[in-house]
Amino acid sequence: MNKHALRRADEETFYAVGVDLGGTKISAAVIDRGGQILQQHVMPTLAGQADVMPRVAEAVETVWSRFAAESGGARIRGIGIGTAGQVEWETGTIRYASDLIPGYTGTRVKSLLEERFGVPVYVDNDVNALALTEKYLGAGRNAKTFVCLALGTGVGGAVMTGGRIMHGAWGSAGEIGHLSVDYKGRPCICGNVGCLEQYASGTSIANLMNERLQAAGLAGTRAPLSAKETADLWLAGDPLAGDAMNEAIAALGSAVASLIHLFNPEAVVIGGGVAACGEPLFRRLREEVRRRAMPSMFAGVTIEPACGGGMSGAIGAALQVWEYAHE
Ligand SMILES: [Zn+2]
């Protein structure tokens, strides 16, 4: 916990609770309008072992009650949830969630939490929530139109156009992980082939590396490696890791070039574990995108890391309370 980020509550202003709900952990925070954290709590999701909504309610209850005790009753304006799965945005219902969180599909997240806590609740996809963190605290301070990619276990995406998140017909626009970069490529869980997620997620980078080790007859001595180990080997000059990362970066570069052509953004922001490779990755990626994008459209586009931090999902989730307050 970053103690320097914790502020004392001001009774005259409003605060919001944000929750980032993933397959592994639930992160909750109370923040102010400026995105500063006043309370935070992280707990395991226990997906498949416990019902998810009581866990989410417990996370909200924990940060809210601590905040109430410390602030002398300062007001919580609402709750924002950034969640795994596809969210029917207006109703705050999970239209589809993978087996990462068994039984979650169909959950009425918004109405369940509004009944329980008696304040407005806003529910969106976790990467859309991250894009709000970028809007207020990161890339969005210099750009009204930008694209976010989160390269983690899978690949998530969000599109911000003219300062507003693009939700599509019911909330699932921006599934960039399932943008195909190869129509004859690797099969994907979604039914398509060649999806970006099959090359640029942490899981896929590890697969790309382990396949090469296998082909080189080295699997017995070195495999299976993680994405982090692959990236470390790449940075140390290992040729097989270099080859695996070249494939991941080519796929990512192809997707980013298409996103630039589609949305004419000012910035492309990339977060998640894979982005922790830092500048060597970004330098190679910019070069890859420059070769693939129309020069007129590539000119002036920044490709940069997300503003980051372990609580940025929860912060963005809470920022929904102000972003959508008048809708
Ligand atoms: Zn797919």
Side-chain angles (χ1 to χ4, degrees):
M1 176 185 288
N2 180 2
K3 286 226 155 46
H4 299 292
L6 298 180
R7 296 277 181 90
R8 282 200 66 77
D10 170 357
E11 284 178 30
E12 298 307 309
T13 51
F14 285 102
Y15 298 87
V17 177
V19 178
D20 181 23
L21 169 60
T24 312
K25 64 182 199 283
I26 298 171
S27 306
V30 175
I31 69 162
D32 66 16
R33 181 74 179 86
Q36 292 286 338
I37 295 176
L38 290 97
Q39 288 291 337
Q40 64 183 37
H41 180 66
V42 180
M43 57 194 260
T45 308
L46 304 180
Q49 301 169 50
D51 285 342
V52 68
M53 288 315 293
R55 301 285 293 164
V56 171
E58 184 187 334
V60 171
E61 185 67 46
T62 301
V63 290
W64 191 331
S65 59
R66 280 189 206 153
F67 171 77
E70 267 194 19
S71 68
R75 290 161 296 185
I76 296 288
R77 180 182 181 134
I79 299 168
I81 310 290
T83 175
Q86 296 172 358
V87 179
E88 205 171 271
W89 186 61
E90 289 202 354
T91 62
T93 301
I94 306 303
R95 188 176 278 212
Y96 174 74
S98 72
D99 286 341
L100 202 61
I101 308 180
Y104 192 39
T105 297
T107 302
R108 298 176 306 115
V109 177
K110 177 181 167 74
S111 56
L112 285 169
L113 292 174
E114 284 184 341
E115 283 159 25
R116 164 81 188 261
F117 292 100
V119 294
V121 175
Y122 305 86
V123 186
D124 206 343
N125 167 267
D126 49 5
V127 187
N128 283 348
L130 266 184
L132 283 185
T133 310
E134 288 298 324
K135 172 178 172 174
Y136 289 102
L137 307 173
R141 288 175 304 176
N142 300 312
K144 286 183 94 68
T145 296
F146 62 90
V147 177
C148 273
L149 282 168
L151 310 180
T153 314
V155 171
V159 179
M160 183 79 71
T161 57
R164 310 289 289 169
I165 288 181
M166 199 181 87
H167 281 102
W170 52 264
S172 200
E175 277 280 10
I176 296 167
H178 299 283
L179 175 69
S180 181
V181 292
D182 180 356
Y183 78 96
K184 292 179 177 171
R186 293 169 175 252
C188 182
I189 45 164
C190 72
N192 201 353
V193 300
C195 293
L196 176 62
E197 184 165 291
Q198 298 303 319
Y199 305 88
S201 65
T203 316
S204 298
I205 288 171
N207 288 343
L208 292 172
M209 180 61 178
N210 289 318
E211 286 164 12
R212 282 164 174 78
L213 288 172
Q214 193 98 41
L218 294 167
T221 52
R222 296 171 69 185
L225 297 181
S226 66
K228 169 85 171 70
E229 289 165 330
T230 304
D232 288 345
L233 283 170
W234 170 56
L235 295 173
D238 180 275
L240 281 183
D243 195 47
M245 289 301 293
N246 278 346
E247 187 169 357
I249 293 167
L252 190 54
S254 170
V256 170
S258 291
L259 293 167
I260 288 172
H261 295 156
L262 273 176
F263 299 112
N264 186 205
E266 298 155 272
V268 176
V269 184
I270 301 177
V274 175
C277 290
E279 195 47 31
L281 172 74
F282 282 86
R283 203 181 309 124
R284 279 276 290 107
L285 178 61
R286 288 182 199 112
E287 182 57 27
E288 192 72 35
V289 178
R290 189 188 61 74
R291 291 199 300 110
R292 292 166 181 272
M294 287 186 239
S296 57
M297 295 191 73
F298 178 71
V301 179
T302 61
I303 300 175
E304 58 192 286
C307 61
M311 294 305 286
S312 56
I315 291 170
L319 287 168
Q320 293 179 91
V321 170
W322 289 284
E323 176 77 1
Y324 304 122
H326 305 296
E327 294 189 359

